[in-house]
Amino acid sequence: MNKVKLRSMMEQFLAEDIGDYDVTTQAVFEEDTTGTLILLAKEEGIFSGEMVISTGFSMIDSNVSISLFVKDGDTITKGQQLAKVTGHVQALLTGERVVLNIIQRMSGIATLTKDAVTRLHSAHTRICDTRKTTPGFRLFEKYAVRCGGGFNHRMGLYDGIMIKDNHIDFCGSITKAVERVRKSVGHMVKIEVETESAEQVKEAVVAGVDIRTGDVYVGVKNSRVYKGNSTCVEDVVFRGLGGNTNANIIMTPAIRPRNNEIIPVCTRCQTKYPQNQFVKGTIFQ
């Protein structure tokens, strides 16, 4: 996690909660009163938030002593000690709610991500996040996804080209959108196109895509592409990309979206398509 951004966000969160000062804590405890705070897990899951604990408390009082008993991505159990913080009671009680709020949310996201990764159980398919994050909390939520074994898609609008349906509608076509992007960005920038039909997949390829270098990634929404089609998924993919024997096409196994079950490649497709056109680890009947 970016330490500079983390500290900046923590300053905002703490300032929002503390205001001028913690009126209750300062009224109850003398400034030199010391104590120890133990952070416990209330349920099992995946932990995320090491830097939040260490940064949050030390920003209020640089003299606090912090001992972390778990690392980001660790599996935790109910009642397990996560950390111990020793220092002035005023600092401990003033900062603990903000710190807890953040690590609770991060650990929840990490836990749900880990569950999705486990259910998918794939060596070649990745669980990725989106930009649909809580405003102001993206840094933490996307880091939590990584702690759970997932991957970040893109951090924002600035670090990747993604031509979506709205871009296509306003521009008029995938072809026009890709042409304009190529004239605008450098050759190191990857271009992703979101497609909704086999025809759009084909158009994205014809627009100048070199599948082998991955300049443009093509995603297909199964429900629209395959609806009413009795042929194999592999046939639909190859036809949509311009032919039945395109050696540049590498396919991943088909997955049933409702239960993430991997569908083995049938014996007919094993004969029709070379096995090197399927990613390593593909299951065959």
Side-chain angles (χ1 to χ4, degrees):
M1 193 186 304
N2 186 304
K3 293 182 179 180
V4 175
K5 290 183 177 180
L6 169 65
R7 189 173 183 85
S8 175
M9 295 304 300
M10 291 299 297
E11 286 181 350
Q12 294 181 46
F13 296 151
L14 290 169
E16 175 188 51
D17 195 42
I18 298 171
D20 293 328
Y21 62 97
D22 182 348
V23 60
T24 305
T25 300
Q26 291 193 20
V28 175
F29 299 100
E30 297 292 337
E31 187 175 350
D32 58 354
T33 303
T34 60
T36 297
L37 191 70
I38 303 293
L39 303 185
L40 301 175
K42 289 191 173 182
E43 58 184 88
E44 64 180 21
I46 303 298
F47 175 75
S48 178
E50 281 183 85
M51 292 177 62
V52 172
I53 295 175
S54 58
T55 302
F57 286 109
S58 62
M59 286 179 65
I60 298 176
D61 184 351
S62 60
N63 293 318
V64 296
S65 173
I66 302 172
S67 299
L68 294 169
F69 304 135
V70 291
K71 296 181 179 180
D72 291 334
D74 283 355
T75 299
I76 56 178
T77 57
K78 183 177 180 179
Q80 180 178 347
Q81 290 191 5
L82 307 178
K84 180 175 71 173
V85 187
T86 300
H88 293 109
V89 172
Q90 287 188 3
L92 302 184
L93 297 184
T94 298
E96 56 102 13
R97 174 43 55 194
V98 169
V99 170
L100 288 176
N101 284 349
I102 298 173
I103 65 173
Q104 284 174 338
R105 184 166 183 81
M106 291 177 67
S107 297
I109 292 172
T111 301
L112 291 175
T113 303
K114 183 66 173 181
D115 180 66
V117 171
T118 302
R119 288 174 181 272
L120 181 60
H121 190 59
S122 174
H124 50 75
T125 304
R126 292 180 170 183
I127 295 291
C128 295
D129 56 25
T130 70
R131 284 173 45 246
K132 298 172 184 176
T133 55
T134 306
F137 216 68
R138 181 171 296 176
L139 174 72
F140 303 91
E141 292 180 342
K142 281 186 170 284
Y143 179 77
V145 168
R146 298 201 300 274
C147 292
F151 293 82
N152 297 146
H153 180 229
R154 56 176 179 165
M155 293 302 293
L157 296 173
Y158 54 87
D159 59 344
I161 297 291
M162 185 174 182
I163 301 174
K164 300 171 68 69
D165 54 352
N166 290 333
H167 299 103
I168 297 168
D169 290 341
F170 280 113
C171 192
S173 69
I174 291 175
T175 302
K176 290 181 180 179
V178 172
E179 287 177 351
R180 292 179 182 179
V181 166
R182 290 196 181 282
K183 291 178 181 179
S184 175
V185 302
H187 67 285
M188 296 295 289
V189 179
K190 292 183 179 180
I191 303 172
E192 183 172 354
V193 179
E194 183 180 79
T195 61
E196 297 181 340
S197 67
E199 285 303 313
Q200 284 193 338
V201 173
K202 184 175 181 180
E203 182 185 358
V205 175
V206 174
V209 177
D210 185 346
I211 295 295
R212 289 170 296 181
T213 62
D215 287 342
V216 177
Y217 296 92
V218 181
V220 181
K221 294 183 178 177
N222 294 355
S223 60
R224 298 191 182 186
V225 176
Y226 307 132
K227 186 176 181 180
N229 195 308
S230 60
T231 59
C232 291
V233 172
E234 289 80 6
D235 295 330
V236 177
V237 171
F238 272 84
R239 283 206 304 269
L241 294 177
N244 291 326
T245 58
N246 191 334
N248 295 333
I249 300 173
I250 304 296
M251 292 188 290
T252 62
I255 299 177
R256 300 185 197 279
R258 297 194 179 199
N259 58 9
N260 292 325
E261 177 187 357
I262 296 178
I263 306 172
V265 178
C266 68
T267 53
R268 184 186 70 83
C269 286
Q270 292 179 48
T271 303
K272 186 173 182 180
Y273 305 110
Q275 288 198 10
N276 61 8
Q277 290 193 283
F278 295 91
V279 298
K280 184 178 180 180
T282 295
I283 300 175
F284 299 93
Q285 283 185 346

